[in-house]
Amino acid sequence: MLQPWIHVLSVVALGLAVVQVGPTRAFAADSSNEFVEQIVQLLANPDREFRAAALEQVRKSARGTAATQTFAAQLSKLDPSAQAELITALGDRGDVAARSAVVELLASSKDEHVRSAALAALGQIGGAEDVPTLITTLTASGAEQQAARTALVRMRGDFVAEKLAADVKAGTVPARSTLIDLLAERRASGQMGVLVAASVDDDGGVRGAAMNALGKLAGAAQVGAMIPGVLRAQKGGERDAAERNVAAVCARIENEDQRADALITALNGVDAAQRDQLLSLVGRVGGKRLINFVGDIATGSDAARRRLAIDALSKWPDASPADKLLEIAGKTSDPAERTQAFEGYVKLSATRDGRSDKERLDRMKQAMKEARSPTEQSLVINRCRTAYDVDAMRFVLPYVEQADFAQIACETIVELAHHREVRDRNKAEFDKALDQVIKISKDEEVVERAERYKRGETWERRKK
């Protein structure tokens, strides 16, 4: 018969009910030499369930430094797979007494699983002396790199963020952008100065990482400090991302007037010659107070400034500048400005914000009245799909019979039919419309969707 402790452990390992072992031998708290020895024996057992039971006790029972050291001493006696399992359990145990054995194995082992487990465990039982090793490993690949990242996020103590920030500032570490990402994950708001400085770095990856971190950590007080990062960013994807990060910070300012004040104060700190470059940012932040300011520029005498301002209005986070854009589209004599303003109007009007589907559709109907070309009409038909209402389908359906618009109208109808709550309430009407789509569409996927929706089936959007 098995000895009592082995019997209890085996029962746990096999997933059966725990046996009562008597009031004087509390299983979870016992740290006697006998109990520790039984755990040690099971750590080397070839049966995975027995080992799993032992590892669970390493994590939670037999407390104390002596027991930790005994468990850690078994690392050198195990095969790599068992070593990795025990290292993970020792990390979860959280006793720094296991650190030296884990560090020794990290230095000597060539097994990726063992090394990854050791790196991850240092996040729980390591100290300041282990941070350089973890940072160096960030330039590795695969599991070891991810383990080092995990450890640097988990490890407690201000010394971690201080070392990460120092290496970012020194500019000598290849993984500087990764270090910045880790500062953001650690919510290291005390390193704001380092992040602001990095936002204008010569390296685009570092700049982008810094702006992303500021987007997560900064507050109203840092809006002005982020503006140079926007201006330093290359136009295109990097500039767009930088603007979105500033807008995210502004969005956390709940009061709209205070949000506008923070941005206006930041703009006033910028050279007048550069302010127009920030109009797009103003659009992303939005707010009623800023519409007239940007609208005046959009209708002013300077053509280059008009284009920047129209672009800013088109990026507004809600539909509040839509009427201004439609007004510009109707009055301008410049074809390019007309296209820009009209597209901006349709984009904002179709946005699924706090307005009702009827309001969105009414905007689309107004846009169709103002459309001057098949291209503009097609744009309106396309965006009607954001008004989840049977009336949107009724509005689009006649265009299925017009050659210039048939295909885009078919696409919009199946997009509306995708919403079961709209389709099922008006099944007979949608079925007739879908029959027309099946007959006219030249797109196999559109036809397939129409057929499935008619049968009441679902459809998952295919990955591009």
Side-chain angles (χ1 to χ4, degrees), residues 438 443-453 455 459 462:
I438 293 168
D443 187 316
E444 292 181 2
E445 183 176 295
V446 170
V447 172
E448 178 193 347
R449 293 179 66 184
E451 291 173 340
R452 292 180 69 88
Y453 294 149
R455 296 193 298 265
W459 180 85
R462 296 172 184 172

Side-chain angles (χ1 to χ4, degrees), residues 236-253:
E238 185 187 349
R239 176 68 66 87
D240 288 344
E243 290 179 356
R244 285 195 295 270
N245 280 306
V246 177
V249 175
C250 291
R252 291 198 288 272
I253 305 172

Side-chain angles (χ1 to χ4, degrees), residues 168 175-178 180-181 194-215 225-239 241-243 245-246:
V168 171
R176 290 171 68 213
S177 58
T178 302
I180 293 171
D181 291 342
V194 172
L195 296 177
V196 168
S199 70
V200 292
D201 194 88
D202 290 337
D203 184 282
V206 171
R207 291 197 303 268
M211 289 299 287
N212 286 340
L214 288 167
M226 293 178 71
I227 297 300
V230 175
L231 295 170
R232 183 72 174 83
Q234 291 187 1
K235 292 182 179 178
E238 185 187 349
R239 176 68 66 87
E243 290 179 356
N245 280 306
V246 177

Side-chain angles (χ1 to χ4, degrees), residues 259-383:
R259 191 185 313 145
D261 288 342
L263 186 58
I264 290 170
T265 299
L267 294 177
N268 286 337
V270 176
D271 185 90
Q274 294 181 303
R275 284 179 195 161
D276 284 352
Q277 295 184 46
L278 299 170
L279 284 174
S280 178
L281 169 60
V282 173
R284 293 183 193 278
V285 174
K288 294 178 181 178
R289 286 184 56 186
L290 297 172
I291 292 177
N292 291 335
F293 168 71
V294 179
D296 288 343
I297 299 174
T299 55
S301 58
D302 188 311
R305 297 190 75 207
R306 288 200 302 269
R307 287 192 291 273
L308 289 172
I310 293 171
D311 178 67
L313 292 171
S314 300
K315 290 178 177 174
W316 228 256
D318 56 48
S320 52
D323 289 336
K324 174 62 71 175
L325 285 165
L326 189 60
E327 176 189 336
I328 294 169
K331 291 182 177 180
T332 183
S333 59
D334 185 317
E337 285 184 17
R338 158 75 191 187
T339 297
Q340 186 184 16
F342 187 83
E343 289 180 352
Y345 171 80
V346 174
K347 172 190 170 185
L348 290 188
S349 296
T351 301
R352 289 198 61 79
D353 50 19
R355 294 168 300 133
S356 68
D357 290 301
K358 182 181 183 304
E359 289 173 310
R360 269 184 289 281
L361 181 58
D362 287 344
R363 289 278 192 181
M364 292 299 101
K365 290 178 178 179
Q366 179 64 34
M368 188 60 84
K369 290 179 182 178
E370 301 294 334
R372 297 179 184 176
S373 68
T375 299
E376 291 185 352
Q377 289 173 292
S378 295
L379 178 65
V380 176
I381 293 169
N382 179 286
R383 299 315 299 161

Side-chain angles (χ1 to χ4, degrees), residues 371-434:
R372 297 179 184 176
S373 68
T375 299
E376 291 185 352
Q377 289 173 292
S378 295
L379 178 65
V380 176
I381 293 169
N382 179 286
R383 299 315 299 161
C384 281
R385 66 188 62 187
T386 67
Y388 303 161
D389 191 280
V390 66
D391 284 335
M393 184 273 286
R394 292 167 181 159
F395 176 68
V396 171
L397 186 57
Y399 294 99
V400 171
E401 302 292 344
Q402 301 182 36
D404 287 345
F405 311 115
Q407 301 308 309
I408 191 65
C410 286
E411 290 179 21
T412 296
I413 288 171
V414 295
E415 284 291 344
L416 291 168
H418 180 74
H419 302 281
R420 183 183 290 274
E421 69 280 6
V422 179
R423 183 180 79 231
D424 287 354
R425 287 198 301 266
N426 307 276
K427 186 176 186 332
E429 198 169 351
F430 261 101
D431 281 353
K432 290 181 180 179
L434 292 171

Side-chain angles (χ1 to χ4, degrees), residues 445 461-464:
E445 183 176 295
R461 199 173 302 279
R462 296 172 184 172
K463 293 182 179 179
K464 295 183 179 180

